[in-house]
Amino acid sequence: MKNINKDNLNDVISITKKILKLFYLILIVVGIYVLLRIIKELGILSIIIKVLKLLSPLFIGIIVAWLLNPFVRFLEKNKVNRKLGSILAYVILIGFLFLLIKALIPIVYNQTLELVENFPKIFNDVKEWIINLFSNFNSKTINISKVEKTMIDRLDNTSIELSKSLPSFIINFISSTISSIGMFLIGLVIGFFLLLGCNNYAMTLLEILPKRYRTSTKNLCLKINKSLRNYVNGALVDALIVFIVSTVAFAIIGLKSPVIFGIFCGLMNVIPYAGPYIGGAPAVVVAFSQSTGVGIAVLIAIIIIQSIEGNILQALIISKATKLNPVTIIVGLLVFGYFFGIVGMLLSTPIIGVLKVIIEYFDEKYDLLNFK
């Protein structure tokens, strides 16, 4: 009988465990997809979305209280009354929001007007760029003129549809913005009262449970809280850095409305993998409509920014906060994006991360899946 190589056996066991972990995570995503599909087919999804919209001020309040609670607890440790600490936290938050809005709103407003006024010119420039691009090609196998005509027709149709829908879009955007501001203000009020009694509410919820489950539930909640907080903090810092760097780069290059495109790049960057492409595409299109040089410069700038961000910041956020396999993240993006669009893509990674924490917690406690 041949001697078994222990090192090779350990390598096989290690690889098998990694494959099993990936399989379990993909199985979770598939299970979520099937569940959401069933809910959608039964018409329950639309009801859930309506209920969530009605309860959005409560969710805003919970998020605000959750974000500010570490700061208030820090003040409590330094012998500052919780009520006074909550007021101080809100003063800082509202002051920051006021200064941010005061600084950004005029710039965004002016650049939006400039962008809307330049839409016809942008479409004409893009059309000319397409014509010049295809004039340099000469292929016997491909009907270049037909491809060119198709692209120009689609561009013209998009321009016509945009000009028709733009007034109604602006009106809807203003009304939805006003409604969102109202909900956000109500959420701030709810968040303040939640922040005042944050610890009490947590204890009350734990007391509802039987005594034997309280300690384990508290430990699980702490693990979920840590995972979510790491992800949110990292994602916010990441988005802010991308926004600042992109805006400065676009302004230096000479792209029109650099702040708007910088904000969009920063917001979309929160979405792993797909976000940078969604955020950078409009900036590149508008840049090429200005000139080929500006287009190439903006494209290079986005590639450099996203390469640095993707290899350093995003890697740190995803790996340290959620420890999810890239395949799981991509599949989750596809599933949640299919059902909930951009919002679903934003929430997919933290939701799957939370599910992973829950599964690993019960695996550690009951040795269900042997994840160790």
Side-chain angles (χ1 to χ4, degrees):
M1 185 176 178
K2 293 181 179 180
N3 292 327
I4 297 172
N5 190 318
K6 291 183 179 179
D7 291 335
N8 290 340
L9 183 62
N10 288 332
D11 289 340
V12 171
I13 292 170
S14 177
I15 292 168
T16 305
K17 283 185 176 181
K18 288 178 181 178
I19 293 170
L20 282 173
K21 287 170 79 173
L22 177 60
F23 172 76
Y24 289 135
L25 291 172
I26 293 173
L27 193 65
I28 291 165
V29 176
V30 172
I32 292 169
Y33 173 79
V34 172
L35 180 62
L36 290 174
R37 189 76 188 182
I38 293 168
I39 291 171
K40 187 178 181 181
E41 292 298 325
L42 294 174
I44 301 170
L45 190 63
S46 59
I47 298 170
I48 293 171
I49 291 170
K50 287 178 182 177
V51 172
L52 291 176
K53 284 182 179 178
L54 287 171
L55 295 176
S56 57
L58 176 61
F59 294 130
I60 291 168
I62 291 170
I63 292 168
V64 170
W66 178 70
L67 289 172
L68 295 180
N69 189 50
F71 177 68
V72 176
R73 287 181 65 185
F74 169 77
L75 294 176
E76 276 188 305
K77 288 179 182 178
N78 288 278
K79 299 180 180 180
V80 177
N81 182 274
R82 185 166 188 90
K83 187 180 289 186
L84 182 61
S86 299
I87 293 170
L88 181 60
Y90 255 71
V91 168
I92 294 170
L93 174 65
I94 293 169
F96 172 75
L97 290 174
F98 174 76
L99 292 174
L100 186 67
I101 291 168
K102 189 178 179 181
L104 283 179
I105 288 295
I107 298 171
V108 172
Y109 175 76
N110 291 330
Q111 291 190 5
T112 302
L113 286 180
E114 182 188 353
L115 194 61
V116 170
E117 289 173 0
N118 286 320
F119 265 139
K121 184 179 181 302
I122 290 170
F123 277 103
N124 287 330
D125 290 343
V126 172
K127 191 189 294 184
E128 288 179 13
W129 183 78
I130 291 170
I131 292 168
N132 292 331
L133 179 69
F134 279 97
S135 65
N136 296 323
F137 285 95
N138 186 16
S139 176
K140 295 179 181 179
T141 56
I142 302 171
N143 191 343
I144 298 295
S145 60
K146 189 176 180 180
V147 176
E148 180 185 347
K149 187 177 182 303
T150 303
M151 290 185 68
I152 290 173
D153 287 344
R154 286 184 181 178
L155 192 66
D156 287 335
N157 292 333
T158 304
S159 177
I160 293 166
E161 288 174 9
L162 188 63
S163 61
K164 287 180 179 178
S165 62
L166 194 60
S168 59
F169 171 77
I170 292 170
I171 292 168
N172 292 332
F173 178 76
I174 292 169
S175 61
S176 63
T177 302
I178 292 169
S179 175
S180 299
I181 290 170
M183 286 189 175
F184 182 72
L185 292 175
I186 295 169
L188 282 179
V189 174
I190 294 171
F192 179 72
F193 288 107
L194 288 174
L195 189 61
L196 285 175
C198 202
N199 295 332
N200 295 331
Y201 293 134
M203 291 302 297
T204 304
L205 289 172
L206 285 173
E207 286 172 3
I208 296 172
L209 300 171
K211 286 185 178 179
R212 58 178 178 170
Y213 295 123
R214 288 176 191 172
T215 303
S216 58
T217 303
K218 184 181 178 181
N219 291 335
L220 176 59
C221 289
L222 288 172
K223 285 178 178 290
I224 291 171
N225 179 65
K226 183 181 178 182
S227 175
L228 278 176
R229 194 170 292 283
N230 287 342
Y231 179 82
V232 171
N233 291 344
L236 288 174
V237 171
D238 184 30
L240 182 63
I241 291 171
V242 171
F243 157 62
I244 293 170
V245 175
S246 298
T247 302
V248 171
F250 296 159
I252 292 170
I253 292 167
L255 177 68
K256 293 175 182 177
S257 309
V259 175
I260 294 173
F261 290 115
I263 290 172
F264 191 65
C265 284
L267 290 174
M268 290 300 101
N269 212 79
V270 178
I271 302 171
Y273 301 105
Y277 300 102
I278 299 170
V284 172
V285 171
V286 172
F288 271 106
S289 72
Q290 288 182 227
S291 71
T292 305
V294 173
I296 292 170
V298 168
L299 182 61
I300 292 170
I302 289 173
I303 290 170
I304 292 171
I305 292 166
Q306 293 303 334
S307 296
I308 295 170
E309 185 275 337
N311 292 320
I312 300 173
L313 296 176
Q314 193 72 261
L316 289 173
I317 291 165
I318 299 299
S319 62
K320 288 190 176 180
T322 59
K323 297 179 182 178
L324 292 173
N325 189 283
V327 175
T328 309
I329 294 171
I330 292 168
V331 174
L333 289 172
L334 293 173
V335 172
F336 281 85
Y338 174 78
F339 286 103
F340 304 107
I342 295 294
V343 176
M345 294 177 79
L346 285 168
L347 296 176
S348 65
T349 303
I351 288 172
I352 295 171
V354 167
L355 290 173
K356 182 174 182 286
V357 169
I358 293 169
I359 290 168
E360 285 186 338
Y361 177 80
F362 284 104
D363 172 61
E364 185 180 337
K365 191 172 182 180
Y366 300 110
D367 197 25
L368 298 174
L369 304 172
N370 193 23
F371 265 13
K372 295 177 184 178

